[in-house]
Amino acid sequence: MGKVDFYYLPGCPYCAQVERVLKELDVTYQRHEVPPDSNDRTVVRQVTGQTEVPAIVDISHGIEALSGNREIVDHLRATYAE
Ligand SMILES: N[C@@H](CCC(=O)N[C@@H](CS)C(=O)NCC(=O)O)C(=O)O
């Protein structure tokens, strides 16, 4: 199974919730910290087409970009919960 790329900002409560669920479900993921100023978020913009975090890429499950804390948690639970 591939890994999930997780774009986050330290101190962001939405990101913290997504990371709790990643850990709870024992998902293999790689963290990518974004800059505080959304104008500087060039990498996440290139990869996901937008600058808001949390955002994930889960290519092995057909997700090229997903943002929105609830949408991400729903995807993770639907995909990784046993
Ligand atoms: N509705 C979004 C809110 C996420 C959000 O507000 N993220 C902040 C960081 S805590 C952000 O990246 N805002 C966009 C920006 O700063 O340009 C969610 O559910 O994930």
Side-chain angles (χ1 to χ4, degrees):
M1 192 184 297
K3 66 171 172 51
V4 170
D5 288 292
F6 170 51
Y7 295 85
Y8 76 102
L9 180 67
C12 165
Y14 308 100
C15 303
Q17 189 194 1
V18 167
E19 187 155 33
R20 273 197 299 276
V21 174
L22 285 163
K23 288 181 176 167
E24 174 196 322
L25 298 175
D26 205 21
V27 177
T28 302
Y29 67 100
Q30 181 166 358
R31 286 156 48 108
H32 305 272
E33 183 174 333
V34 303
D37 186 336
S38 59
N39 293 316
D40 298 332
R41 297 178 188 175
T42 49
V43 174
V44 72
R45 187 187 297 113
Q46 279 171 1
V47 173
T48 72
Q50 52 87 61
T51 57
E52 187 180 88
V53 290
I56 65 162
V57 176
D58 188 3
I59 288 295
S60 58
H61 293 95
I63 302 293
E64 294 186 359
L66 186 62
S67 59
N69 144 50
R70 283 187 192 166
E71 289 80 358
I72 294 171
V73 167
D74 285 350
H75 165 72
L76 294 174
R77 291 204 183 284
T79 305
Y80 294 98
E82 296 190 46

